[in-house]
Amino acid sequence: MKYRSVFDIIGPIMIGPSSSHTAGAVRIGKVARNLFGRKPAWADIFFYGSFAETYKGHGTDVAIVGGLLNFDTFDERMKTSLHIAKQEGIRITFHEEEAIPPHPNTAKIRIGDEKGELELVGISIGGGKIEIIELNGFELKLSGHHPALLIMHNDRYGAIAGVANVLAKYAINIGHMEVSRKEKGKQALMTIEVDQNIDDAIVEQLKTLPHIIDVTKIVE
């Protein structure tokens, strides 16, 4: 296995005993909060594998809720995130699942309010690194460590090319890209990780393209 830096080995600065069970969980929660775009009214959190067995002792529950509150891994408020969530009126429910997960450190988050819901599955792969592997039923691979675009679109000819042309126009380099669809000709999800943060004006331009339903950006 190759490492890009010493931080890939020792993990991030964080509150908690384990980079996999706390820092990774925080980041899964933060990605869910970022994609939802606002504070949720409620959250159902499902733990699988090692997460289900040890989440109370390792503080994974505290960490993932801290992420939903948009706390960073080193935020001292992390220790009281469950209390803070209760104070803010967020209903939190934890579930211990027995199903065998794709990775031992797997969590599913379902959050929502009166305006909508979001469901996300993430895995903590070590050193505080994560991958988001499912979003609202669409399979994907999102690291959460790079700026990214999640583009919901109709599965039509030219949709991907149109997005790529706009990014090329503004000299935005694509580091990773994939497309997931549930059924041919229906809705599809484009996941694009890029090398620099993307201006809101570019996001708005992408939204005007044919066949594009919605565009969400994730900042680094």
Side-chain angles (χ1 to χ4, degrees):
M1 181 179 293
K2 294 182 178 179
Y3 297 98
R4 292 183 297 175
S5 76
V6 68
F7 295 105
D8 290 351
I9 303 172
I10 65 174
I13 299 171
M14 64 183 187
I15 303 295
S18 166
S19 61
S20 294
H21 285 228
T22 50
V26 173
R27 286 175 171 158
I28 292 171
K30 279 181 68 73
V31 171
R33 171 65 181 263
N34 193 324
L35 292 174
F36 194 60
R38 57 192 181 274
K39 182 178 73 175
W42 55 265
D44 282 313
I45 300 169
F46 303 81
F47 290 125
Y48 298 81
S50 178
F51 271 1
E53 296 170 0
T54 65
Y55 75 91
K56 292 181 180 178
H58 284 187
T60 310
D61 51 351
V62 172
I64 207 162
V65 171
L68 289 174
L69 293 170
N70 214 25
F71 295 166
D72 288 315
T73 56
F74 51 82
D75 195 315
E76 290 290 338
R77 294 175 296 172
M78 190 71 64
K79 300 173 184 178
T80 57
S81 65
L82 298 180
H83 179 66
I84 294 171
K86 185 176 180 180
Q87 282 186 321
E88 295 190 5
I90 305 174
R91 178 181 60 79
I92 306 289
T93 308
F94 296 105
H95 307 265
E96 300 172 18
E97 296 294 308
E98 297 182 355
I100 299 175
H103 187 280
N105 299 330
T106 298
K108 178 170 71 176
I109 300 174
R110 186 180 297 141
I111 56 178
D113 59 15
E114 70 281 358
K115 296 180 180 179
E117 299 182 11
L118 177 143
E119 183 177 284
L120 171 153
V121 179
I123 59 176
S124 179
I125 60 177
K129 293 182 176 296
I130 67 168
E131 287 183 1
I132 304 303
I133 60 173
E134 186 176 313
L135 177 64
N136 292 336
F138 289 95
E139 294 181 358
L140 74 160
K141 183 179 179 181
L142 180 68
S143 72
H145 290 275
H146 304 283
L149 291 169
L150 297 181
I151 302 175
M152 189 66 65
H153 61 98
N154 292 314
D155 183 26
R156 299 289 189 275
Y157 174 83
I160 297 172
V163 170
N165 286 338
V166 170
L167 297 182
K169 175 183 175 182
Y170 293 98
I172 295 172
N173 191 51
I174 297 173
H176 172 80
M177 179 178 181
E178 64 181 32
V179 178
S180 173
R181 64 183 183 182
K182 299 178 184 178
E183 186 178 346
K184 181 180 178 181
K186 302 295 184 179
Q187 289 188 2
L189 177 66
M190 206 182 308
T191 305
I192 306 173
E193 291 190 337
V194 296
D195 291 341
Q196 65 261 54
N197 286 320
I198 297 175
D199 291 340
D200 289 339
I202 299 176
V203 173
E204 293 304 315
Q205 185 172 342
L206 290 170
K207 289 180 179 179
T208 67
L209 294 175
H211 313 306
I212 300 302
I213 299 171
D214 192 26
V215 181
T216 302
K217 74 171 183 176
I218 297 177
V219 298
E220 188 174 16

